[in-house]
Amino acid sequence: GVFPPPLQVLFGRKGGRPRMVASDLVLTATGRGAATAGLGLEHLGIKSDRGIPVGAEFETVFEGVWAAGDVVGAPQLASTGIQQAELAVDAMFAPHHETRMTSLEYPVGIWTSPEVAWVGMSRDQAMRRGLEVVEGRARYAESIRGHVQSVNTPEYGDYLAKWCHGQPLQGQGLKLVVERQPPYAIVGVHVFGVDAYELIHFGATLVEARKGVAEALGMCYAAVTYHEMYKIAARDAFTELDRMDLRELYNQLVLVCRKEEMPDSTDVGRLAGELGVEAATVRFLIKCLFGRQRGMRRCEEFVEKAMRVRNPLSRSVDLVKGATPQQRI
């Protein structure tokens, strides 16, 4: 048969540069508004332009009037609507009920192919709230099931591809957003790929209970399941935390030495001794900072070297204590 030429679609984010793509079909979802006409809400001072504003217990600005479900705005899902209605009824008849949820604790998903699901905050949202966070990432192909499922597909062998820390997650995977300060609480989970909508429920448990990333790392996950990605992402988050602490340690050593030139191994050894650092840790620092060369390695070279050898400063030694490298030395 004769197929029509592909559509040329121009799209872009507000304030960004537009892009042109070819597509056979365009599906648009322009949103929906609250069907509140005729209820007389305006006479009570309740606005409903983009959803009815409500408090934590789903009571509106007019005392004694509650709203729940699609009329309060995003995420406008059946699951969240039911939960909101239950919490609203609890607030009506059991005002001292302690079970409360915020919109960030609702798991949200999109039934695309592959699926997309998330709960909690993204890195940008956390930073806007004044939180310092890191991201831990896991690719589907890194899990046992993901590797098996990729046999005889173009994705086979992806788990061997080079992984760059600090770079955006490419392709299907799972991401944890973790607070940098102890106890390293998980404040967001994002999944893109097969069974994302199933996987996100465990993420919702972690976020709602403010579980630390050490708890996600320490759990035993049934084999062979995609939930293994939680352990992989938790391990990656700890790796990123270690990298950040090593950079801070490097900068502190340079700053404390107060020299115009880079400090040498004698300076580092003396400073570490003054701080009461154990001999094994001093040897580790000197090995990673200098090696066999005369000059001190640059910061990223030091970090890469330290991550390749046994790191006495790593959180893996004492996840529960939550001490930073500076506190441990």
Side-chain angles (χ1 to χ4, degrees), residues 55-73:
E57 297 180 345
F58 296 95
E59 190 171 16
T60 66
V61 294
F62 193 87
E63 185 177 357
V65 176
W66 285 262
D70 292 357
V71 294
V72 302

Side-chain angles (χ1 to χ4, degrees), residues 25-267:
L25 183 68
V26 176
L27 176 65
T28 62
T30 57
R32 51 191 172 184
T36 57
L39 297 180
L41 298 180
E42 64 278 4
H43 301 304
L44 303 178
I46 301 174
K47 298 180 180 179
S48 60
D49 297 335
R50 291 191 154 199
I52 298 174
V54 293
E57 297 180 345
F58 296 95
E59 190 171 16
T60 66
V61 294
F62 193 87
E63 185 177 357
V65 176
W66 285 262
D70 292 357
V71 294
V72 302
Q76 294 185 325
L77 300 172
S79 55
T80 56
I82 293 170
Q83 182 79 0
Q84 290 168 353
E86 291 175 348
L87 293 176
V89 173
D90 281 344
M92 294 176 196
F93 300 103
H96 301 296
H97 195 277
E98 295 182 357
T99 304
R100 299 288 180 264
M101 292 186 69
T102 68
S103 59
L104 290 173
E105 294 169 352
Y106 294 126
V108 180
I110 304 176
W111 292 104
T112 50
S113 181
E115 298 171 20
V116 181
W118 66 91
V119 63
M121 291 181 278
S122 66
R123 182 175 183 173
D124 290 343
Q125 287 174 320
M127 292 176 64
R128 285 197 295 269
R129 289 171 174 254
L131 298 177
E132 189 175 7
V133 296
V134 300
E135 294 179 334
R137 305 170 179 86
R139 296 173 295 176
Y140 272 77
E142 292 177 290
S143 68
I144 298 174
R145 182 179 177 184
H147 173 56
V148 172
Q149 296 288 83
S150 68
V151 174
N152 296 326
T153 72
E155 289 75 33
Y156 183 69
D158 273 0
Y159 70 99
L160 296 174
K162 183 178 180 181
W163 180 244
C164 298
H165 289 278
Q167 299 299 316
L169 180 63
Q170 301 292 333
Q172 300 183 41
L174 181 147
K175 180 170 65 178
L176 302 179
V177 182
V178 180
E179 286 186 352
R180 190 181 174 191
Q181 300 302 321
Y184 313 114
I186 298 171
V187 297
V189 179
H190 306 261
V191 190
F192 169 52
V194 180
D195 289 342
Y197 227 151
E198 300 287 345
L199 291 166
I200 201 61
H201 291 95
F202 179 59
T205 300
L206 297 175
V207 172
E208 183 179 349
R210 291 189 61 80
K211 293 291 186 180
V213 70
E215 296 177 81
L217 181 61
M219 289 190 63
C220 178
Y221 297 89
V224 177
T225 67
Y226 287 133
H227 278 78
E228 182 191 1
M229 290 192 294
Y230 281 98
K231 180 185 283 286
I232 297 170
R235 187 181 299 118
D236 184 65
F238 272 120
T239 299
E240 189 59 30
L241 286 164
D242 282 337
R243 287 174 177 272
M244 295 177 72
D245 280 346
L246 286 167
R247 292 187 187 102
E248 285 190 2
L249 177 61
Y250 180 94
N251 292 330
Q252 285 187 3
L253 288 171
V254 173
L255 180 63
V256 173
C257 285
R258 299 180 183 278
K259 299 182 67 174
E260 294 183 2
E261 299 179 355
M262 298 291 281
D264 58 24
S265 58
T266 303
D267 295 321

Side-chain angles (χ1 to χ4, degrees), residues 260-328:
E260 294 183 2
E261 299 179 355
M262 298 291 281
D264 58 24
S265 58
T266 303
D267 295 321
V268 173
R270 174 182 52 78
L271 174 61
E274 293 174 356
L275 294 173
V277 180
E278 295 180 359
T281 304
V282 173
R283 290 194 295 271
F284 162 78
L285 287 173
I286 292 176
K287 178 180 179 180
C288 295
L289 284 168
F290 299 97
R292 296 180 180 178
Q293 61 191 39
R294 293 177 58 85
M296 185 173 174
R297 288 188 172 101
R298 297 296 177 183
C299 182
E300 289 306 311
E301 294 174 345
F302 161 69
V303 172
E304 291 304 317
K305 178 66 176 179
M307 296 303 294
R308 286 198 300 269
V309 300
R310 183 179 180 275
N311 180 3
L313 307 179
S314 174
R315 286 171 181 77
S316 60
V317 177
D318 54 354
L319 300 180
V320 179
K321 292 181 181 178
T324 65
Q326 293 78 12
Q327 291 170 329
R328 283 196 284 273

